[in-house]
Amino acid sequence: MRTPRLPMTLAASTAMALLAATPSFAESHAMAKKGGELTVAIETDVRGFGTIKGGVLGQTGEIVMRTIQEPLLDWDPETNEPQPLLATEWSHNDDQTVWTFKLREGVKFHDGSDFDAEDVAHHYNRILDPENKSRSRTFIASIEKVEAVDPLTVEFHLKHPWQALLPYLATTSMSGPIPAKEAVEADTQNRSPVGTGPFKFVEWASGDRIIVERNPDYWNADEINLDKITFRILPDTQTRFASLRSGEVDVMWTDRGPSIVEAKQDDKLVTLVSEGAGAAVNLLNGKKEPLNHPALRKALAHAWNQDALVKISWQNTRPAVEHPLGPVKDCGDVNYRGFDIAKAKEYIEEWKADTGNTEVPTIVMIHTTTPRGRELGEIYQQTAKAAGIPLELQPVDQSTLVKRVFTNDFDISGWRIADGADMGPQLYAYAMPGSSYNLTGFDDPKLAEVAEQMRVATTREERLDLQCEMVSIMNDDGGILYRGGGRYHAFTTPRVKGVPAPYRGAVDVTRAWIDEQS
């Protein structure tokens, strides 16, 4: 027996009703002006759009990706429920291990080819194939295989019931958006992406700009207003801010505290803000010496002052947190190791007694060359020194940092646990031995046991309770240290309309429009 999740007509009407209640939707459809160009300032270049070669998107990459490619489902952050997008209807069997999705008719990729079930199956089976070493594989490994039943029907076969399936089919990070099978097979997708999205890729000048233009054949063309979007790559925050104020750019993403504070006080700018999950973090590499010793990791955990970073670098524009689940769950006591130099020194003495060492060796911390990265390194260097731990700072560009973390070439590194409608797959990936995202070397049988229980839990509340238990074990280990939770900001000029608050930290400009009268 198959249980319908949302019939096509109900799903479509529900989505329209929800969207119509939001100001951005109402503006875009009742008042929107067609045409015009938008310039969006982003912080870093994109590493690539190919699911395998691109690796991970990051927030800036996701902002661009949303204009070009689409996932099967949309996600409503207000109701925390999926909505139709490339799929219009879905259902599951009795034990929720086979999910069937009906695809939207008449959708075409930018190259003119038809979007169908083969594209969906090809995309997900590539990620799941261990030979391809996709960084997204661990997040969706509960999917056994994806089969195209007919051109407009696709089946997802799961290894077990998995509550995170629908949230992950709606994600706009690397695993969710569906590329054209032909572009993937031609090996052009990474630098010249082809999707079904409202805008078509035109140009990518590395380190400078990415340009997309309106897709005239988009399946929902009436909702799209702009003719062209240029994404300017401006790593320096002050440059981005000055460009917004001067009108050189129209939208700015930033997480820099001083700029956020200043921009919020400027009555000539529009502030967009959202609360969410995820967190900025420090990763401590427990896979190699000297941080493979738990006492030294715990010493560094107590030597980390999250509150100072939130105050100095974020300017209190992000909250200090003890877990990455966001406001959806109050976990209570989760063994958070707060800033405590005396405790840090106690653990150093424990490490010395256990290893026979008399001095702590120099620990190397890599961080981005951004002002945020420099402040992070300098704060940690000072507090670690107070505890008796010498910390050497190595600034690197974002791509180098990502590569070094994934190749185990670091002691400590700044990082980000991405926001998500369900944080379970990420926690599982960070916690499980053998996972490509187990970047800190967690190898705790109890943690693995709880992670497996969480993975197959059949209710949302049970999943959240088990996620709290996982975080408690991870905090006790000291391998992941929080440096600010999920609060996200973007800014526009008043002439820009139809841009919602940055859900999951990524700015969505796909339905934006320009009002020169404002």
Side-chain angles (χ1 to χ4, degrees), residues 6-233:
L6 279 175
M8 187 183 302
T9 53
L10 175 60
S13 63
T14 300
M16 292 293 286
L18 287 168
L19 285 170
T22 64
S24 60
F25 184 90
E27 286 178 341
S28 294
H29 284 263
M31 304 160 55
K33 296 177 175 63
K34 299 294 183 181
E37 300 181 6
L38 194 74
T39 302
V40 181
I42 56 178
E43 182 181 40
T44 58
D45 206 346
V46 183
R47 288 180 285 276
F49 296 92
T51 309
I52 306 301
K53 286 187 175 181
V56 293
L57 281 174
Q59 282 174 314
T60 56
E62 196 168 339
I63 291 169
V64 183
M65 175 71 95
R66 287 185 179 192
T67 65
I68 302 170
Q69 293 178 215
E70 298 173 302
L72 282 180
L73 303 175
D74 199 2
W75 196 265
D76 182 1
E78 297 298 321
T79 64
N80 213 34
E81 291 288 339
Q83 303 297 334
L85 198 63
L86 291 179
T88 57
E89 181 182 351
W90 48 96
S91 59
H92 57 72
N93 64 355
D94 287 342
D95 66 1
Q96 299 187 39
T97 57
V98 180
W99 286 74
T100 303
F101 294 82
K102 293 295 184 179
L103 305 183
R104 190 177 298 278
E105 281 191 79
V107 177
K108 290 187 176 292
F109 284 105
H110 300 151
D111 60 5
S113 61
D114 292 328
F115 163 76
D116 60 27
E118 287 290 346
D119 295 292
V120 179
H122 182 261
H123 171 65
Y124 279 100
N125 289 330
R126 283 185 78 236
I127 296 174
L128 294 170
D129 185 349
E131 292 295 320
N132 289 326
K133 298 179 181 180
S134 169
R135 290 175 182 167
S136 299
R137 179 172 176 262
T138 301
F139 297 144
I140 63 169
S142 293
I143 302 171
E144 186 174 38
K145 62 181 178 178
V146 182
E147 292 184 340
V149 178
D150 61 45
L152 294 177
T153 308
V154 63
E155 284 185 348
F156 283 72
H157 294 255
L158 307 183
K159 298 174 182 176
H160 50 76
W162 190 43
Q163 289 283 303
L165 175 66
L166 297 182
Y168 262 74
L169 296 187
T171 183
T172 51
S173 55
M174 193 61 91
S175 66
I178 310 295
K181 179 183 176 183
E182 290 82 357
V184 171
E185 291 178 339
D187 198 26
T188 58
Q189 184 68 21
N190 198 49
R191 292 291 302 187
S192 300
V194 175
T196 62
F199 293 86
K200 301 169 67 171
F201 171 80
V202 174
E203 177 187 348
W204 182 358
S206 294
D208 181 45
R209 67 189 63 212
I210 298 173
I211 298 173
V212 298
E213 291 182 351
R214 189 176 186 272
N215 173 17
D217 300 317
Y218 183 53
W219 60 268
N220 201 7
D222 287 347
E223 282 194 5
I224 308 308
N225 307 302
L226 297 169
D227 291 328
K228 177 180 175 182
I229 303 174
T230 299
F231 296 95
R232 290 287 313 281
I233 301 159

Side-chain angles (χ1 to χ4, degrees), residues 162 422-425 427-428 449-458 462-464 466-467 470:
W162 190 43
D422 187 319
M423 297 300 293
L427 289 179
Y428 184 90
E449 177 187 350
V450 176
E452 291 290 2
Q453 292 172 357
M454 184 276 300
R455 197 184 198 195
V456 300
T458 56
E462 183 184 5
R463 279 179 66 82
L464 288 171
L466 290 166
Q467 287 171 24
M470 288 180 66

